[in-house]
Structures are given as structure tokens and as C-alpha cells.
Amino acid sequence: MSSTASRLPSWFSRAVVEAALIVFAVVLGFIVNEWREDVADRHAAEIAMGRVVAEMESNIGRLEAVASYHEAVVERIQDRLAEIEAEPATGRSVLFDELPLIMPRGINAPGLTSFAWEHAQQHGHLDVLPYETVSETARVYTLQESGVEATWRQIVDLVFSGPQVMREEDITPSLRFTQIGFQELASQERFLIGQYQTVVDELRADGLGSE
């Protein structure tokens, strides 16, 4: 009785081997292509987060500059309130005339930016990074928008809320409200500096951002 192998055409074994090699080559091609895409995505993410680190460090510098000024504004307002308490008659004034004395540089916006982070979310392939890395970065930018920037806008609205700033009146309540606003703003700025620095350190520890 002849074997099954003896009944197969002579070319069959060669065809099986060639077919296997073709399948292997196709699978290997897919693997290599996927690996290249992963490397490219990782590179894009690293570049994007490097820019984010630079942006956060720039924001830290801006915050440090304005936080000291805003803390000084709080002290100037406190000095003015002490003067009014000592001489109540001086408390009747025009708020607009008081502003250059307590805010010689104006309200002084922090001037924070978020362009690098927004660009990273759109084009940085951040899905290749650990979830914690992306979520912590997002959190600190949310603090920037809903904390410091929102409080700054509220102060602008408070100080320049209408024609009453040009009217002579007892300015003690307006000064107190302004002082509270600047106290909150400076506190938020100091807190945000710490949060930014923590995230920057974590990103650098993960190899993101140049030294």
C-alpha cells in the first residue's frame, strides 16, 4: 500500500513552504510597520510633551513675577485701610483715583499660555503615554484656567465694574473686596507654581522634556 505522501505531486511540498514563507513575510511586514508607527507616535508624543514642559516652565516664571506684585498690592491696600481707620475722613474718595496708588502696575495679568498643551492634545499622539502622565498635565492646565485666570477676570470686573469707580464715596468696602480678590489671586498663583513644578519634575523623570 503506497503512502499518502507518495500520491502528492512533487511540487506540493515546495508550494507549501513557499506559501508559508509568503504568509510569514506578510505578518512580519505588519509587525514591522506597526512597530514603526509606535516609534513615530512615541517620538511625536515626546516632542509635544517637551514643548509642554517648556511652556509650563515659562508659566512658572510669569507666575512668580506677578505673584510678588499681587502680594504687594494686598499690603498696599492694607496700609490704605489702616490710614482710613486712623482718619475716617480720608475714606471718602474716588476709587479710580486710588488705583494708581495701590496698583502702580495695574492689575498685571499673569499672561499664562496653553498653546503647547492644546497643540499636544490635537497632534501629539498622547495616547501612547501613561494615562497618569496625561491626566496630571491636563489637571494643572485646568487649574490655570478655572483658578488663576478666572480670578483675574473677576478682579477686572470688580475694579472696573461701572461708573461708580468714578464717583466719590466711602471706598472702604471696595478696597476690602479688592484686597480679598488679590489675596485669592496671589494664593492661587503660588499654589499653581507648586503644581506646575511637581508635574514638570514628574515629566522629566519620565524622560519627557529636555534638561
Side-chain angles (χ1 to χ4, degrees):
M1 183 177 181
S2 59
S3 65
T4 303
S6 64
R7 294 197 299 269
L8 293 175
S10 59
W11 51 264
F12 184 78
S13 297
R14 187 172 67 256
V16 170
V17 172
E18 291 177 354
L21 290 174
I22 292 172
V23 172
F24 175 76
V26 171
V27 172
L28 181 61
F30 279 124
I31 293 174
V32 171
N33 186 60
E34 184 174 351
W35 173 78
R36 286 175 177 171
E37 289 181 354
D38 289 343
V39 170
D41 288 349
R42 176 72 189 187
H43 183 61
E46 290 176 350
I47 291 176
M49 292 306 291
R51 291 169 179 162
V52 169
V53 168
E55 179 174 71
M56 287 193 291
E57 289 179 328
S58 175
N59 284 344
I60 289 173
R62 294 171 184 269
L63 285 168
E64 288 175 340
V66 296
S68 297
Y69 170 69
H70 291 154
E71 289 164 347
V73 169
V74 173
E75 294 177 0
R76 290 191 188 93
I77 294 175
Q78 186 58 44
D79 291 342
R80 182 69 178 97
L81 289 171
E83 179 184 325
I84 294 173
E85 185 175 354
E87 298 183 45
T90 65
R92 189 157 189 85
S93 178
V94 177
L95 180 60
F96 188 80
D97 294 337
E98 300 283 337
L99 297 182
L101 303 177
I102 61 177
M103 292 183 286
R105 286 163 44 191
I107 296 178
N108 213 202
L112 306 179
T113 62
S114 59
F115 177 78
W117 172 238
E118 293 169 359
H119 189 272
Q121 292 178 89
Q122 297 174 10
H123 308 289
H125 300 283
L126 302 185
D127 54 321
V128 303
L129 299 178
Y131 172 79
E132 293 76 12
T133 298
V134 179
S135 64
E136 279 299 292
T137 306
R139 182 183 65 82
V140 80
Y141 273 98
T142 299
L143 285 175
Q144 171 181 314
E145 181 179 358
S146 62
V148 169
E149 293 180 342
T151 300
W152 180 83
R153 288 191 294 268
Q154 290 172 357
I155 291 176
V156 172
D157 292 340
L158 174 65
V159 174
F160 303 105
S161 57
Q164 60 267 30
V165 298
M166 304 295 294
R167 184 183 307 140
E168 183 177 305
E169 60 182 1
D170 179 6
I171 61 169
T172 299
S174 295
L175 288 176
R176 292 195 184 280
F177 275 116
T178 303
Q179 184 183 42
I180 292 172
F182 274 101
Q183 283 176 329
E184 179 64 19
L185 179 59
S187 176
Q188 289 177 347
E189 287 166 342
R190 293 297 182 189
F191 178 74
L192 186 56
I193 288 171
Q195 294 295 301
Y196 263 134
Q197 192 60 61
T198 297
V199 174
V200 166
D201 292 342
E202 291 174 350
L203 292 175
R204 289 197 183 285
D206 291 338
L208 300 171
S210 59
E211 292 292 342

